[in-house]
């Protein structure tokens, strides 16, 4: 039996001990972004106004297409399987135009991201725009950052309840309007508006508004930055698209460090100080709750509000703007190398300034020409080619189509006078929203004539057909060839349809069958 002295003590630590264990789920810390002001903020207001205006108002725009087509400028008419976009009408078989637009949007995002970084995330992504809108409401109801933080920490009372109720009610109203605007793209907006409030709209309309209200309120009001950080795949994809020539929002620590809150004292003590006064203005305005001075982060949506905040501080200090700026990694690295003497010494802020105290001419600055490089030319070329191809296809597309199906059983019939008759199903597609009369005729097949079921006209080589606007017309056509002119068992000929007014024409090569013995 071992005595106590002989028991070996192992150097082991329970890495997952209950006392030290970190929770798997860390509760979210609320962010209270401060209102920023400056040129980027103004630009974001403008983008927000334009994008929200387009989204909410587009279904109410009218476009006169005549009496036979809807007058809504942008309409996804699922019932009739049409997509209307101002003068353009897309039929289901032309859906490749929509696919082409999506491809263009994808290539466009590649182009934008490789040049100006995550501009989509920072300015035009719906999540960014709606969060911005919800923040406007929050500030309007509860006040700016400090007031909101105070309210958050305060115990529940009548004022807090009233403010929170007002905020959430306004958010909900915006969310309902957002869902409501969406359904107007799928039906005549004024009619659906009335039907919606009188309870006469289709159940799917109410369900759609319900789902979009819930998602807008939750994503824009409650989850905010968490959607970008945890749910959206785009930040990860964009990381692969950026290179060292892409513009990103950058803290230029080559001129900001060493940061100091007491620059004068530090200078008096003979220490070198950079331009950053550690005021945290850039952190306070960040809607993602990050500190750009920690370097590039996936969470940064490049909204540039920290640039505005820091520029205002630099203005007050009488220093050059751009301590936080849009910069390429290549320029940043070059400036860092300059400030650290080839990365051999700590950052020395005096190295980046001349004797006059101004930033040295050796500092690499952004020039628009730096965006023009092979990669962006390739993206732009592909984007332009797809666009031109689609434009050409759009301008030259047929608005009159002809399709023919030969009767399979029987393939031919011998009539009492010995002539041979074949039956066909002829489909005439009128893709313009107005009625028109077209001429259907035969080309080839000597001596042949046709008759059309339902059209009271003697057999002839051509027949006039009235087409309804925006409709497919199906005809039963019989082609008869006199006995003495019947040739091979299989003969080719053409059905030709023509609109004499617009000179549009289409043709179909069909087959006429006859028995072998009739030769
Ligand atoms: S706003 Fe500018 S000066 Fe203030 S902490 Fe941020 S980087 Fe430094
Ligand atoms: S760090 Fe700056 S650019 Fe990035 S999300 Fe925050 S405020 Fe916007």
């Amino acid at each position: 039996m071992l005595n106590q002295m002989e028991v070996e003590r192992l150097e082991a630590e329970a890495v997952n001990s209950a006392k030290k264990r970190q929770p798997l789920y860390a509760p979210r810390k609320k962010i209270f972004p401060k209102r920023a002001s400056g040129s980027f903020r103004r630009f974001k207001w403008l983008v927000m106004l334009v994008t929200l205006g387009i989204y909410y108002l587009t279904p109410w725009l009218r476009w006169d297409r005549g009496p036979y087509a809807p007058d809504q400028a942008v309409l996804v008419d699922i019932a009739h399987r049409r997509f209307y976009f101002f003068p353009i009408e897309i039929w289901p078989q032309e859906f490749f135009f929509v696919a082409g637009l999506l491809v263009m949007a994808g290539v466009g995002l590649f182009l934008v991201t490789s040049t100006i970084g995550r501009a989509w995330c920072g300015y035009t992504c719906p999540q960014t725009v709606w969060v911005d809108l919800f923040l406007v409401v929050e500030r309007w109801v509860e006040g700016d950052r400090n007031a909101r933080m105070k309210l958050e920490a305060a115990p529940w009372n009548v004022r807090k309840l009233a403010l929170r109720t007002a905020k959430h009610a306004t958010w909900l109203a915006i969310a309902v309007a957002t869902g409501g605007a969406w359904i107007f793209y799928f039906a005549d907006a004024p009619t659906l508006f009335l039907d919606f409030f009188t309870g006469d709209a289709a159940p799917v309309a109410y369900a759609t508004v319900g789902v979009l209200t819930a998602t807008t309120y939750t994503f824009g009001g409650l989850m905010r930055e968490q959607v970008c950080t945890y749910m959206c795949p785009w930040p990860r994809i964009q990381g692969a698209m950026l290179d060292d020539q892409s513009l990103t929002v950058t803290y230029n620590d080559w001129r900001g460090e060493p940061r100091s809150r007491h620059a004068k004292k530090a200078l008096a003590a003979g220490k070198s100080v950079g331009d950053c006064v550690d005021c945290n203005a850039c952190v306070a305005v960040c809607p993602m709750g990050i500190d750009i001075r920690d370097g590039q982060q996936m969470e940064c949506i490049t909204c540039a509000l920290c640039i505005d905040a820091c520029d205002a501080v630099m203005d007050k200090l009488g220093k050059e703007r751009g301590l936080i700026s849009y910069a390429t990694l290549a320029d940043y690295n070059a400036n860092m190398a300059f400030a650290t003497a080839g990365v051999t010494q700590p950052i020395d802020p005096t190295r980046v300034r001349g004797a006059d105290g101004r930033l040295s001419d050796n500092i690499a600055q952004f020039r628009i020409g730096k965006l023009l490089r092979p990669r962006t030319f390739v993206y732009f070329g592909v984007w332009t080619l797809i666009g031109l191809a689609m434009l050409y296809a759009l301008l030259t597309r047929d608005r009159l189509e002809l399709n023919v199906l030969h009767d399979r059983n029987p393939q031919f019939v011998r009539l009492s006078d010995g002539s041979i008759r074949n039956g066909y199903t002829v489909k005439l597609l009128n893709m313009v929203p107005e009625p028109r009369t077209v001429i259907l005729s035969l080309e080839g097949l000597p001596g042949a004539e046709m008759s059309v079921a339902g059209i009271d006209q003697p057999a002839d080589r051509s027949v006039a057909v009235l087409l309804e606007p925006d409709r497919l017309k199906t005809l039963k056509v019989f082609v008869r060839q006199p006995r003495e002119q019947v040739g091979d068992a299989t003969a080719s000929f053409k059905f030709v349809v023509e609109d004499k007014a617009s000179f549009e024409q289409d043709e179909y090569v069909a087959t006429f069958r006859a028995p072998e013995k009739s030769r």
Side-chain angles (χ1 to χ4, degrees):
M1 202 172 139
L2 291 171
N3 66 37
Q4 210 172 348
M5 295 300 290
E6 289 171 318
V7 176
E8 185 188 4
R9 185 172 189 282
L10 300 174
E11 288 303 321
E13 188 187 356
V15 290
N16 200 19
S17 85
K19 282 183 189 162
K20 294 183 185 169
R21 194 178 299 150
Q22 296 283 325
L24 289 177
Y25 173 75
R28 174 194 179 213
K29 284 190 183 144
K30 260 192 167 181
I31 299 169
F32 302 89
K34 187 171 161 40
R35 190 186 194 285
S37 48
S39 46
F40 286 105
R41 180 63 269 184
R42 281 196 295 279
F43 180 63
K44 273 173 72 72
W45 287 138
L46 181 70
V47 174
M48 184 186 180
L49 207 69
V50 171
T51 48
L52 289 177
I54 289 173
Y55 177 71
Y56 288 117
L57 298 179
T58 298
W60 300 93
L61 298 178
R62 303 290 102 185
W63 190 267
D64 185 10
R65 300 186 182 89
Y68 302 103
D71 68 347
Q72 188 156 312
V74 179
L75 178 67
V76 183
D77 188 351
I78 290 175
H80 299 103
R81 302 194 300 159
R82 301 280 191 286
F83 172 52
Y84 297 96
F85 186 79
F86 295 91
I88 301 168
E89 181 184 353
I90 303 286
W91 283 59
Q93 62 268 38
E94 297 174 315
F95 200 75
F96 59 86
F97 282 114
V98 179
L101 279 181
L102 290 177
V103 173
M104 279 185 79
V107 176
L109 268 179
F110 276 49
L111 173 65
V112 168
T113 307
S114 68
T115 50
I116 51 175
R118 292 174 59 184
W120 162 259
C121 298
Y123 299 92
T124 46
C125 170
Q127 174 66 15
T128 299
V129 172
W130 261 270
V131 167
D132 236 10
L133 180 63
F134 277 42
L135 275 170
V136 169
V137 172
E138 190 169 274
R139 277 191 209 107
W140 174 59
V141 175
E142 297 180 350
D144 206 355
R145 177 181 159 86
N146 288 345
R148 300 207 305 278
M149 289 172 79
K150 226 168 127 185
L151 186 71
E152 177 73 11
W156 281 99
N157 54 29
V158 175
R159 181 177 173 270
K160 182 167 177 172
L161 190 66
L163 290 177
R164 286 284 153 93
T165 306
K167 177 177 83 173
H168 287 278
T170 316
W171 280 359
L172 269 173
I174 293 171
V176 172
T178 304
W182 180 254
I183 61 171
F184 295 146
Y185 283 87
F186 297 87
D188 181 61
T191 311
L192 182 56
F193 183 79
L194 287 177
D195 288 351
F196 190 85
F197 288 104
T198 53
D200 293 330
V204 69
Y206 296 102
T208 306
V209 172
V211 168
L212 288 179
T213 299
T215 49
T216 307
Y217 173 77
T218 308
F219 292 168
L222 306 181
M223 292 182 68
R224 296 186 183 176
E225 80 288 346
Q226 296 178 100
V227 175
C228 309
T229 306
Y230 303 118
M231 292 170 67
C232 180
W234 195 233
R236 282 96 183 153
I237 296 169
Q238 280 174 323
M241 289 184 196
L242 298 173
D243 60 29
D244 66 350
Q245 298 294 340
S246 308
L247 277 178
T248 52
V249 174
T250 307
Y251 168 62
N252 294 310
D253 43 7
W254 48 265
R255 64 168 270 204
E257 299 294 322
R259 68 188 76 162
S260 172
R261 291 188 180 193
H262 309 288
K264 279 185 186 162
K265 267 194 203 166
L267 283 171
K271 293 180 186 164
S272 65
V273 287
D275 289 345
C276 176
V277 292
D278 204 14
C279 64
N280 283 336
C282 51
V283 178
V285 295
C286 179
M288 300 301 293
I290 60 171
D291 186 342
I292 191 67
R293 294 173 299 170
D294 295 339
Q296 287 298 316
Q297 292 149 79
M298 189 199 69
E299 288 81 359
C300 176
I301 56 170
T302 66
C303 65
L305 295 181
C306 52
I307 297 182
D308 277 344
C310 191
D311 279 351
V313 176
M314 292 299 111
D315 287 350
K316 278 186 201 156
L317 296 173
K319 295 193 172 175
E320 301 91 341
R321 290 180 163 201
L323 174 54
I324 302 174
S325 67
Y326 270 106
T328 66
L329 186 60
D331 285 349
Y332 170 82
N333 284 340
N335 293 336
M336 266 307 262
F338 185 58
T340 55
V343 205
T344 59
Q345 294 169 22
I347 296 171
D348 181 358
T350 58
R351 203 184 296 274
V352 297
R353 294 193 178 273
D356 57 357
R358 298 172 68 84
L359 281 175
S360 162
D361 291 340
N362 293 326
I363 294 300
Q365 302 282 0
F366 170 70
R367 282 178 290 103
I368 199 84
K370 291 185 180 178
L371 298 180
L372 308 177
R373 54 207 161 92
R375 187 177 169 188
T376 49
F377 279 122
V378 169
Y379 285 146
F380 185 70
V382 172
W383 188 84
T384 310
L385 277 179
I386 298 171
L388 288 176
M390 286 200 5
L391 189 66
Y392 176 78
L394 191 70
L395 294 176
T396 58
R397 65 185 177 153
D398 291 329
R399 301 285 78 198
L400 179 64
E401 278 189 14
L402 167 68
N403 263 298
V404 179
L405 201 66
H406 192 286
D407 284 358
R408 283 182 162 268
N409 193 14
Q411 292 201 330
F412 58 85
V413 173
R414 188 194 295 276
L415 300 180
S416 55
D417 61 356
S419 60
I420 302 298
R421 191 183 80 181
N422 280 206
Y424 302 87
T425 301
V426 172
K427 296 189 175 194
L428 294 170
L429 190 57
N430 176 23
M431 296 165 84
V432 295
E434 51 193 53
R436 54 176 165 171
T437 300
V438 295
I439 306 297
L440 178 68
S441 51
L442 301 177
E443 251 184 49
L445 210 63
E449 291 176 336
M450 67 176 158
S451 54
V452 181
I455 296 184
D456 191 15
Q457 183 184 308
D460 202 346
R461 299 249 335 149
S462 64
V463 59
V465 183
L466 176 64
L467 301 181
E468 287 178 63
D470 245 355
R471 288 282 179 278
L472 174 75
K473 184 154 192 145
T474 304
L475 302 172
K476 188 72 207 168
V477 176
F478 297 102
V479 176
R480 189 183 66 83
Q481 192 174 33
R483 176 186 177 184
E484 55 278 9
Q485 285 173 292
V486 172
D488 293 339
T490 303
S492 289
F493 71 103
K494 280 184 192 167
F495 279 105
V496 179
V497 64
E498 189 180 6
D499 180 352
K500 300 261 186 216
S502 65
F503 304 109
E504 282 175 275
Q505 184 179 315
D506 196 15
E507 57 186 38
Y508 189 96
V509 179
T511 304
F512 188 83
R513 296 189 186 280
E516 292 281 347
K517 60 183 179 182
S518 63
R519 280 190 210 167

